[in-house]
Amino acid sequence: MLLLTAAFAVNMLDRQILNITLNDIGNEFNLSDLQLGSLSGFAFAIVFVAFGFPAARLARQGNRKKMVIGAITIWSAMTAVTGVASNYLHLMLCRIGVAAGEGGFTPPAHAMVAESYPPENRGAALSLFSAGANIGLFLSFLVGGIVASLYGWRVAFFVAAMPGLVIALLLFVFLREPISVHSSADSRPGSQQFRGVAKTLLSNPSAKHAVFGAVLTAIVGAGAVAWVATYLVRSHELSLAQAGIYLAVVVGIGGAVMSYLGGVWSDRLGLKSPQWRMKLMAIIILIAKPFAIAFYLLDHTTLALSLFVIPAMLGSVFTGPTFAHLYARVKPEQRPLVTAIMMFLLNLIGLGLGPVIVGAISDGLASSAGTDSLRYALVIIQIAGIWGAVHYWIAGKHSEH
């Protein structure tokens, strides 16, 4: 479990190292906010999800360990290659390579975690795994902020690529797959099974609204993570190192702790009343919104940074409980398919659109708002998060187990 969490942390490190260095990359290659948003958003997401479905089809016992190790090796190598990119096209191709590697990781990893724990503890286990994303964010902001400010953004990519190769070696030596009765070669899902699982999720009101809530929440999260460092540099005149260290602490460490605790609370509330697994997610999202909006609108740097601690820590709490909620509504052998479907939606729509929407709105407001255009773009996208909270509340009302 800890090795897979470490692997997911490296996954997020190599994915998000671009975001802390966006401003420097944009200045070097003279790129617009929309172009920068496409590097961290839609182009990455399309390839990521394209590899997610084949990975789910292959994610059966005997293949999963090999898939995880191979995926880490590929995305780590492509992260290193990004450091020698000489134009926008090169950057895009490198991001495609990183996405291809990372797309093959999550379905087999999620399946291994889910099979290792009973349903009553699965939310906490998946939240612990999801906390790896915050640890990866911590590392990306720290490495990007400090290394990029001292040695340049290219060296930051070289440094970010190294841990993945070490983790791949450790997984090769120590990782053991859980034994599953649903892992024979005959259990490989075909296209009809994908459609069947998708139909199951959409026909169940609780599952359907949980999916909608997660996708809308992911749009806000991906947009914020992609642009918040650049926002702090532009609007609050923090140095790259200052922005990186601050975000590493509040998003990385704080977010990891709260992601795990959110899963624990969700499991405990779910034992007493199943409705509160998803209703808790709605409440957490709505608590965070006023603090997030105030952070983007305030000019007082110290106050703004203090307020952002709340949404930064709560931003990824929804992930583990949502997957646990959906896994409880399908057969064990269908869980990799659920993972692939959710990765498709969360990444194509959330990761794909979030950064691009923010970049497009920022470009559109630039003539009237100047350097504040990014500030207002990040406020506007918060609407999607409020909408997502409504879906989570409805998911809770329809939940029976």
Side-chain angles (χ1 to χ4, degrees):
M1 177 66 186
L2 292 179
L3 281 174
L4 288 173
T5 301
F8 194 40
V10 174
N11 176 300
M12 194 57 63
L13 164 63
D14 289 354
R15 182 188 307 185
Q16 300 294 345
I17 188 66
L18 175 77
N19 295 329
I20 188 68
T21 56
L22 273 182
N23 206 53
D24 288 353
I25 293 173
N27 290 335
E28 178 171 334
F29 295 116
N30 193 28
L31 303 178
S32 69
D33 283 353
L34 181 57
Q35 287 176 306
L36 291 173
S38 68
L39 287 174
S40 58
F42 201 63
F44 182 96
I46 289 176
V47 179
F48 184 97
V49 300
F51 278 79
F53 285 108
R57 296 189 66 177
L58 295 171
R60 62 190 190 280
Q61 191 174 12
N63 277 3
R64 294 174 299 188
K65 177 177 177 177
K66 298 173 185 176
M67 291 174 64
V68 165
I69 294 172
I72 296 175
T73 303
I74 291 171
W75 85 58
S76 298
M78 294 309 299
T79 300
V81 174
T82 307
V84 298
S86 59
N87 55 47
Y88 177 72
L89 177 60
H90 291 169
L91 288 168
M92 183 66 74
L93 292 174
C94 289
R95 293 300 291 172
I96 288 172
V98 173
E102 294 191 358
F105 170 77
T106 308
H110 255 213
M112 294 172 75
V113 173
E115 289 177 7
S116 300
Y117 294 87
E120 61 270 20
N121 300 123
R122 194 170 290 140
L126 288 167
S127 292
L128 177 59
F129 176 79
S130 298
N134 294 92
I135 297 171
L137 285 170
F138 166 80
L139 295 173
S140 68
F141 287 132
L142 202 63
V143 171
I146 297 177
V147 175
S149 64
L150 292 176
Y151 304 105
W153 67 269
R154 296 180 184 276
V155 176
F157 277 87
F158 296 143
V159 173
M162 295 178 186
L165 301 176
V166 176
I167 294 294
L169 179 60
L170 292 175
L171 288 169
F172 178 78
V173 176
F174 296 109
L175 182 63
R176 298 292 182 268
E177 292 194 31
I179 298 175
S180 172
V181 296
H182 301 287
S183 58
S184 69
D186 295 333
S187 66
R188 287 177 290 180
S191 58
Q192 285 190 335
Q193 289 170 287
F194 276 107
R195 288 193 293 268
V197 173
K199 184 177 180 180
T200 298
L201 295 179
L202 293 176
S203 64
N204 182 296
S206 184
K208 176 177 67 176
H209 284 285
V211 170
F212 289 160
V215 170
L216 289 164
T217 305
I219 290 175
V220 181
V225 168
W227 286 105
V228 66
T230 300
Y231 164 71
L232 289 174
V233 171
R234 289 185 188 176
S235 296
H236 289 278
E237 298 182 347
L238 268 64
S239 69
L240 191 59
Q242 289 173 322
I245 293 171
Y246 167 75
L247 293 171
V249 173
V250 298
V251 179
I253 298 176
V257 171
M258 290 307 299
S259 289
Y260 175 68
L261 291 178
V264 173
W265 295 335
S266 175
D267 281 345
R268 290 179 179 176
L269 286 174
L271 289 175
K272 298 178 181 179
S273 175
Q275 291 192 358
W276 283 100
R277 286 183 182 270
M278 293 294 95
K279 285 184 176 180
L280 176 63
M281 300 303 103
I283 293 171
I284 287 174
I285 292 169
L286 291 176
I287 287 173
K289 288 306 160 194
F291 293 93
I293 293 170
F295 163 66
Y296 293 123
L297 292 179
L298 287 172
D299 289 320
H300 192 286
T301 300
T302 302
L303 180 57
L305 294 179
S306 299
L307 292 176
F308 187 61
V309 171
I310 301 300
M313 292 177 64
L314 297 178
S316 60
V317 169
F318 74 99
T319 308
T322 301
F323 275 100
H325 184 74
L326 298 178
Y327 287 162
R329 282 149 182 79
V330 299
K331 299 175 182 178
E333 67 269 24
Q334 294 177 321
R335 288 171 190 153
L337 284 72
V338 172
T339 303
I341 291 170
M342 287 302 294
M343 288 298 100
F344 174 82
L345 296 173
L346 293 177
N347 287 281
L348 186 63
I349 300 176
L351 178 61
L353 292 183
V356 175
I357 290 173
V358 173
I361 295 174
S362 179
D363 281 348
L365 296 175
S367 60
S368 58
T371 56
D372 283 333
S373 63
L374 182 58
R375 176 200 302 265
Y376 297 129
L378 288 164
V379 170
I380 290 170
I381 203 172
Q382 298 300 315
I383 296 171
I386 298 172
W387 186 9
V390 172
H391 280 290
Y392 270 121
W393 188 264
I394 297 173
K397 289 183 66 175
H398 287 286
S399 181
E400 298 177 355
H401 62 278

